[in-house]
Amino acid sequence: MNTRLQHIALAAVFCATGASALAQQPGSAGERCEVEVRETIQRMRGPQAQDVQFIGTKRTLATTADNQLGVRGEGRYRSPEGSMPFTYSCAVDRESGEASGVVFRETGRLHAAARAESAWQPDLTNFSPEACEAATAATLTERYPRVGRITFDAGARQLRPAPNDHMRLEGRGAVQRAPGMNAEPFSFRCEFETRSGKVVRLSTSG
């Protein structure tokens, strides 16, 4: 094989390899995000979180404004209370493959806690705890531009009445201000307009 043909063959190999890497990138990004989510759950819940599973059909990937891959999905883990569903999201760097900005939310507990509140029956028609947690995550991300992980403890949610016929959601979580740092606890409070479900006031501390 002459030199020119060798160059052409090598170029074809390199192109095929590059195409293969690009084809595998979305799946790898999703898997990398799920590894970080699993570690976050096990760190937050310890031995109470067993058999963490992800629902592949619920995973979505999209390019973010800063050209990273944004991953969102759903899963569940086994706990002493039964099967606990959760949602998650994170961003994966296209070049390094590192995942950051992990947000993990458990679902399924808040309504049971609300029903146990005998003195006050809230109107949950337009209420969404995710709206409060998303606003809290945005506030923390603005405060700490290099934020690594943000997690919310659904078991600590408390829904209370507020002035002007509003509702107030109080909760706790943990934030990793930058990759490599230890997670630090924080608390948050959102006031909702009952009829619209709109967050009208937000505060965080810690």
Side-chain angles (χ1 to χ4, degrees):
M1 183 182 293
N2 61 37
T3 302
R4 178 178 177 80
L5 291 176
Q6 288 177 338
H7 288 170
I8 293 174
L10 287 173
V13 170
F14 291 150
C15 288
T17 302
S20 176
L22 288 174
Q24 294 174 5
Q25 187 178 26
S28 298
E31 292 164 6
R32 179 56 184 161
C33 177
E34 290 173 358
V35 168
E36 295 295 325
V37 173
R38 179 178 283 105
E39 292 178 355
T40 298
I41 293 173
Q42 292 172 341
R43 185 181 303 110
M44 291 286 295
R45 295 289 173 261
Q48 291 188 340
Q50 300 290 328
D51 193 23
V52 180
Q53 298 181 349
F54 298 93
I55 304 173
T57 56
K58 297 292 186 179
R59 182 202 292 171
T60 61
L61 295 93
T63 302
T64 64
D66 52 0
N67 202 35
Q68 293 184 321
L69 282 174
V71 184
R72 294 180 180 273
E74 299 178 17
R76 62 181 62 250
Y77 68 83
R78 180 164 46 83
S79 74
E81 301 175 5
S83 180
M84 176 56 63
F86 62 85
T87 62
Y88 68 90
S89 64
C90 74
V92 179
D93 187 278
R94 288 178 178 273
E95 295 183 1
S96 68
E98 294 184 357
S100 62
V102 174
V103 177
F104 150 67
R105 300 187 182 93
E106 293 169 324
T107 59
R109 289 182 179 175
L110 183 62
H111 290 263
R115 288 194 297 269
E117 182 66 58
S118 59
W120 173 64
Q121 296 297 326
D123 180 0
L124 301 178
T125 304
N126 297 309
F127 172 69
S128 169
E130 288 78 13
C132 174
E133 291 172 354
T136 301
T139 297
L140 292 174
T141 301
E142 184 177 352
R143 185 180 303 170
Y144 310 117
R146 297 183 61 241
V147 67
R149 296 185 182 90
I150 301 173
T151 59
F152 295 92
D153 183 356
R157 291 172 177 166
Q158 293 186 356
L159 191 61
R160 306 180 187 279
N164 302 317
D165 198 28
H166 287 182
M167 298 186 297
R168 184 172 68 242
L169 177 66
E170 300 174 356
R172 298 195 301 268
V175 58
Q176 185 184 39
R177 297 187 180 186
M181 294 182 66
N182 292 329
E184 300 179 5
F186 68 89
S187 60
F188 63 94
R189 177 183 295 180
C190 289
E191 184 174 328
F192 288 83
E193 187 177 71
T194 302
R195 288 186 178 181
S196 67
K198 179 181 179 182
V199 178
V200 295
R201 188 171 292 105
L202 166 67
S203 62
T204 63
S205 61

